[in-house]
Amino acid sequence: MKRGRKSHLLLSPLDLLILPIFFNFISLATGLPQLPPSSTSITAATASPVQCVDHETWLAEGFVKEDCYVAVQDLYTWDFRWNPDEAFRFFSGGATSHPERGVATPRRYSKSSCTLVLITLNRLSTYELPGNLPHGNRPVDKATFREIYLAARALEERCVASIGKVLEQLLNVMNYDLKGKSPAISVGSLVLVTGVNGYIGSHVADQLVQAGYRVRGTVRDESKGQYMKEFFDKKYGDGKLETVVVADMSQAGAFDEACKGASGVAHVASDLSFAPDPHQVIPGVIAGAMNAVSAAAKQPSVKRFVYTSSSAAISAAKPNVEFTISTRNWNDEDIAKAWAPPPYNQDRSMAVYGASKAQAEQEAWKFVREQKPAFVLNAVLPNFNLGVILSDKQFASTGGAVRDIFQNGELGFWSIFPAQWMVDVQDTARLHVAALIDPDIKDQRILAYGHPFSFNDVLASLRKLYPSKSFPEDNEDLGRDVSIVDNSQGAELLRRFGRDGWASFEESMKNNLSGIPGA
């Protein structure tokens, strides 16, 4: 289900008087407990002699995942000044089609989900918001919504505590199925994403915000932070992304300030220069990784750390060679090639990149083994990323390949890439989120391999989509990737996001072309 627009749910003083009365009317109709008038405090509410309903009963009454998801997603995306009569028609009678309000199809809710939404609205109108925030005269966005839930669960001990358990399950299924467990890092907390202006980093931040987290992203200079802030502010509103400048990640203590207050860290930043001299690339990448893990270790608030590694940390692409890709393996072959004596010609660039990712990841695992920090380390190892480019100001690394070929009509730099596997960049980002929040994912190297491909496939797709436009002829020397990869773990994690598994090559190509002028 696609997410709608940001909520603009406003509560007027008159609404505050009407809504509790309206809710109690619905409570009588449904047989569920009434809530006290809005003047009653939370403490008094919990002390009142009401018949409580445990969360298993709520679930048994039809409060199923899809029903949960649709009901509260509608509440998040519905855009109108609250009117109880319209609420009753909408949540208990079914919605008519309102695409402009984020509602595309008619819906009807079970008794339990309808009542839960009404209880939530009642809480929005009667609960004194954390931090003395004024209620009734400001938009209630997703983050505030979650704050109210968490505060209500902490303060209310009886019936609403039972509802809180349902809400917790609901919040989990909205983005990722935690199998009834609490997330490893609290929803609404801060996650540091290094290299947030990069192709993968920007998507990791985007998926984290969608999952209910706040993001602090590092950039090398302020201009890169500015265009990412503009993108996130426009899409989600102010306050979802903050940026800090880390000009040189290889400098000691580079991430110390940026890590403060974070509950999780995704270290995505790396050297994508493809320079052939190992001395110019590898030490800096290793230092950046070590600075990130050491900064995280200094902060007791950090519970999870995800390192963005690469398929190149396991093996270089080997077209037409059948071999097995395993998380137990390291790319020792490219490490040896990278550090061989000079001359440092351009044909060494891929080996230097592979060595940088392998050796930096190895050092991160070594740090965790020896220093035993409080956080859990996981790594995500993506192959060639394709898919949506979030900002037209991004270089977009591998995502820029399709754009470059479409605009320039030639392979250019991308001709150096052999046949290998591809993955949709949003799938890569989702796996980062899973590695950050899933309490069962510990000390894992997660393979992000979607489907085998070559740039001949890219050219064929472009010719099909744009038959009147000229593109280069196929390169018969590219071959095919016939490596054996068990990518089932990643596919299963993606299914927990409500996906069908890996996005197809065709879907990624279409997404990659979206937003490109002339495409």
Side-chain angles (χ1 to χ4, degrees):
M1 174 179 168
K2 293 183 178 179
R3 298 195 177 273
R5 296 179 296 163
K6 180 184 174 183
S7 174
H8 295 284
L9 181 62
L10 299 176
L11 299 169
S12 70
L14 179 61
D15 298 333
L16 303 185
L17 296 174
I18 296 175
L19 189 55
I21 299 171
F22 167 66
F23 168 74
N24 287 332
F25 169 76
I26 298 300
S27 297
L28 292 172
T30 58
L32 289 166
Q34 298 183 39
L35 289 180
S38 59
S39 59
T40 308
S41 69
I42 291 294
T43 302
T46 57
S48 60
V50 296
Q51 180 64 41
C52 297
V53 181
D54 59 40
H55 76 285
E56 287 84 1
T57 302
W58 282 79
L59 292 171
E61 288 182 359
F63 201 82
V64 295
K65 281 185 182 179
E66 183 62 21
D67 217 6
C68 293
Y69 190 108
V70 170
V72 175
Q73 185 66 17
D74 281 343
L75 184 58
Y76 285 154
T77 59
W78 188 249
D79 185 11
F80 64 110
R81 191 170 182 82
W82 186 250
N83 179 289
D85 292 333
E86 188 173 1
F88 177 75
R89 289 194 299 272
F90 181 76
F91 286 109
S92 62
T96 57
S97 181
H98 291 292
E100 75 282 6
R101 292 179 173 178
V103 182
T105 56
R107 294 175 182 143
R108 186 173 294 276
Y109 306 102
S110 70
K111 179 173 69 173
S112 292
S113 63
C114 171
T115 306
L116 178 62
V117 170
L118 294 170
I119 288 174
T120 301
L121 290 169
N122 182 271
R123 290 300 150 196
L124 290 175
S125 68
T126 63
Y127 187 69
E128 184 175 349
L129 298 179
N132 297 318
L133 294 174
H135 55 282
N137 61 356
R138 66 189 299 271
V140 180
D141 60 17
K142 191 172 182 178
T144 305
F145 214 46
R146 292 172 184 271
E147 286 178 8
I148 294 169
Y149 287 164
L150 294 173
R153 289 208 308 272
L155 293 175
E156 300 184 358
E157 299 176 353
R158 299 187 65 195
C159 193
V160 177
S162 187
I163 296 168
K165 294 178 183 178
V166 180
L167 290 171
E168 188 168 12
Q169 293 189 11
L170 181 150
L171 293 174
N172 291 341
V173 303
M174 284 185 66
N175 295 290
Y176 183 81
D177 186 359
L178 288 166
K179 306 298 184 184
K181 299 180 181 180
S182 296
I185 58 175
S186 298
V187 173
S189 61
L190 180 68
V191 179
L192 174 67
V193 178
T194 67
V196 76
N197 60 295
Y199 187 39
I200 295 176
S202 61
H203 276 283
V204 172
D206 189 47
Q207 292 296 323
L208 281 167
V209 171
Q210 289 184 37
Y213 293 89
R214 294 175 293 117
V215 176
R216 177 183 295 149
T218 71
V219 293
R220 289 195 303 276
D221 65 68
E222 192 60 45
S223 65
K224 293 179 170 62
Q226 184 59 37
Y227 66 71
M228 290 316 304
K229 274 278 293 169
E230 290 172 358
F231 171 83
F232 278 86
D233 288 352
K234 182 178 180 180
K235 184 174 182 179
Y236 298 109
D238 295 344
K240 303 303 183 184
L241 172 71
E242 62 174 290
T243 59
V244 294
V245 174
V246 176
D248 185 355
M249 69 177 183
S250 67
Q251 293 296 311
F255 297 112
D256 286 1
E257 283 297 315
C259 258
K260 290 182 178 179
S263 63
V265 177
H267 179 52
V268 189
S270 195
D271 187 322
L272 298 177
S273 66
F274 288 94
D277 185 345
H279 301 282
Q280 293 180 10
V281 177
I282 299 174
V285 175
I286 293 174
M290 297 309 296
N291 287 333
V293 292
S294 61
K298 295 173 186 176
Q299 301 300 322
S301 60
V302 176
K303 305 302 181 186
R304 284 288 171 124
F305 189 106
V306 176
Y307 177 67
T308 308
S309 188
S310 168
S311 61
I314 293 178
S315 174
K318 299 177 181 179
N320 303 321
V321 177
E322 185 175 307
F323 68 106
T324 299
I325 299 290
S326 170
T327 56
R328 296 186 297 273
N329 296 340
W330 295 95
N331 193 354
D332 296 325
E333 184 177 345
D334 271 357
I335 293 173
K337 286 181 181 178
W339 289 109
Y344 303 131
N345 298 323
Q346 198 60 41
D347 60 3
R348 192 189 293 230
S349 61
M350 296 297 289
V352 169
Y353 173 77
S356 74
K357 299 305 289 186
Q359 291 189 279
E361 188 191 345
Q362 287 173 332
E363 289 300 313
W365 289 113
K366 180 181 178 182
F367 178 91
V368 169
R369 285 195 307 270
E370 294 179 352
Q371 302 299 319
K372 295 179 173 51
F375 61 75
V376 169
L377 172 65
N378 291 307
V380 177
L381 290 78
N383 212 300
F384 200 99
N385 280 270
L386 295 172
V388 174
I389 300 172
L390 294 182
S391 170
D392 59 7
K393 298 177 182 177
Q394 288 178 288
F395 165 64
S397 60
T398 56
V402 175
R403 177 183 60 194
D404 292 350
I405 297 168
F406 175 81
Q407 292 178 335
N408 303 327
E410 58 183 32
L411 287 175
F413 167 75
W414 304 105
S415 63
I416 70 172
F417 287 85
Q420 53 192 287
W421 286 63
M422 58 72 59
V423 61
D424 190 283
V425 67
Q426 289 176 300
D427 285 347
T428 296
R430 292 181 183 105
L431 295 180
H432 280 73
V433 175
L436 282 165
I437 72 174
D438 193 325
D440 293 332
I441 302 177
K442 298 178 180 179
D443 312 315
Q444 296 287 304
R445 301 180 80 199
I446 303 170
L447 299 180
Y449 287 63
H451 312 279
F453 93 115
S454 77
F455 271 93
N456 288 339
D457 298 315
V458 172
L459 293 170
S461 179
L462 288 171
R463 293 188 199 105
K464 180 179 179 180
L465 292 169
Y466 305 96
S468 62
K469 192 174 175 65
S470 296
F471 296 102
E473 295 297 320
D474 285 359
N475 181 354
E476 300 302 330
D477 296 331
L478 287 179
R480 301 301 301 178
D481 190 306
V482 293
S483 59
I484 301 169
V485 180
D486 182 358
N487 61 357
S488 58
Q489 180 190 24
E492 171 56 28
L493 295 178
L494 293 172
R495 281 190 282 272
R496 293 195 189 183
F497 283 98
R499 308 285 298 174
D500 293 329
W502 302 103
S504 68
F505 169 75
E506 292 76 14
E507 179 183 352
S508 297
M509 279 292 297
K510 290 178 181 177
N511 289 340
N512 216 146
L513 290 160
S514 64
I516 296 176

